[in-house]
Amino acid sequence: GGRPSPSGADFREVRLNVGVRDGVDGEFVAQWLGSRLGLAAGDLGEVRVRERATFIDVPAGRVADAVAALTGLRFGGRDVVAAEQ
């Protein structure tokens, strides 16, 4: 499900199959994804890095772009698989 941001934008959660154990740096992922999608720093929502997964809130209209951009990255020798939650 989506949740509104402070600015009123609608976010969707994208899940990555990599996390802390794979060396994911949430700040790096947010900056990289923002630059790939041409988003300002404040346009992405929260990034939550867990042990085995990472969750990124992206604007609802950019989910497909985010999934495409993130899929194929590698962290800790693992191929990233991204999907909308």
Side-chain angles (χ1 to χ4, degrees):
R3 41 185 177 277
S5 72
S7 66
D10 194 19
F11 282 100
R12 296 284 184 267
E13 187 175 71
V14 172
R15 179 187 185 276
L16 309 183
N17 65 327
V18 292
V20 173
R21 68 175 185 165
D22 305 297
V24 172
D25 176 334
E27 194 170 310
F28 166 80
V29 171
Q31 289 177 349
W32 184 90
L33 182 60
S35 68
R36 280 294 297 266
L37 299 184
L39 298 174
D43 289 343
L44 276 179
E46 190 182 355
V47 177
R48 296 170 300 286
V49 183
R50 303 292 182 248
E51 184 65 23
R52 296 171 181 269
T54 299
F55 301 91
I56 307 169
D57 291 338
V58 300
R62 303 303 304 273
V63 169
D65 295 333
V67 168
L70 292 161
T71 297
L73 283 180
R74 287 177 72 85
F75 280 101
R78 300 184 69 215
D79 290 319
V80 171
V81 178
E84 183 177 1
Q85 282 294 91

